[in-house]
Amino acid sequence: MRRQPPKISAKEAAVGYLSRRDHAERELQQKLKMRGYSEQDVQEAIDFCQDYQWLDDARYAAMAVRNGVTKGWGKLRIQQEMKMKGVHELCIKQALADAEVDWFEQAKSVAQRKFGNQPMDTPKEKARRLRFMQSRGFDFEQIRYALSVDDEYEG
């Protein structure tokens, strides 16, 4: 059984998606293809939206960095999220470079909000905190700084 052709044009669908929130170019392409639009219609819709500057990966990447920081994410998690959305590597690097974020202080702030002044008095608790910070996208140096861990054997 063939799928029903979409009732609205690819351009209208693209504008509809972008009116709700910003999208990365590849993310929007995938959504339109899944709705059954042809490759040519999808590309015309993408070009149309870019001509009007409604679709801009650089702007999307900058927004993704701001949102990630607000959510308490580290650089690695933000990078990964953007890669999954199909944002071009150069846009990701530029957005992260332009963001004036001290990732060490971001990590410390996240750790303070999550753990407060509770002591990290057992290896199990230390491991739990390290895993949490890693899942948030902080690298080991940032985690050590945030949790005031001098070396990996300290308990």
Side-chain angles (χ1 to χ4, degrees):
M1 189 168 136
R2 273 192 68 142
R3 260 178 98 166
Q4 288 281 351
K7 296 194 181 348
I8 61 174
S9 74
K11 286 179 187 173
E12 290 172 310
V15 170
Y17 283 127
L18 292 170
S19 71
R20 288 187 278 286
R21 71 167 177 85
D22 241 347
H23 286 68
E25 179 181 337
R26 197 171 92 200
E27 179 187 22
L28 185 59
Q29 280 175 334
Q30 289 171 336
K31 282 187 175 188
L32 293 173
K33 285 178 189 174
M34 285 180 65
R35 284 190 60 179
Y37 294 105
S38 72
E39 196 73 43
Q40 182 180 347
D41 287 345
V42 168
Q43 195 52 55
E44 286 174 10
I46 296 293
D47 293 342
F48 175 78
C49 291
Q50 286 174 332
D51 288 346
Y52 285 94
Q53 294 164 354
W54 296 332
L55 181 65
D56 181 356
D57 270 7
R59 184 182 65 228
Y60 178 84
M63 178 210 59
V65 171
R66 285 191 308 274
N67 289 346
V69 168
T70 301
K71 291 176 182 175
W73 292 351
K75 186 177 184 177
L76 300 174
R77 171 88 182 261
I78 293 169
Q79 234 172 337
Q80 187 62 32
E81 292 286 325
M82 284 194 279
K83 282 181 186 175
M84 287 172 38
K85 299 282 187 182
V87 179
H88 193 279
E89 190 71 34
L90 289 175
C91 290
I92 294 172
K93 282 187 169 138
Q94 191 62 53
L96 288 168
D98 290 349
E100 294 179 4
V101 178
D102 180 335
W103 297 106
F104 287 89
E105 289 302 321
Q106 170 79 350
K108 192 169 201 147
S109 169
V110 168
Q112 183 62 38
R113 276 197 314 259
K114 176 71 176 174
F115 306 114
N117 294 323
Q118 299 293 329
M120 186 169 49
D121 48 9
T122 65
K124 186 176 178 181
E125 177 62 17
K126 179 180 173 190
R128 185 179 80 83
R129 291 183 188 196
L130 289 171
R131 277 193 312 274
F132 172 80
M133 295 300 288
Q134 280 183 316
S135 75
R136 285 300 181 100
F138 295 103
D139 67 30
F140 190 65
E141 292 301 312
Q142 294 160 354
I143 294 169
R144 280 177 48 179
Y145 175 81
L147 299 178
S148 302
V149 177
D150 292 330
D151 64 50
E152 62 184 283
Y153 301 108
E154 182 180 289

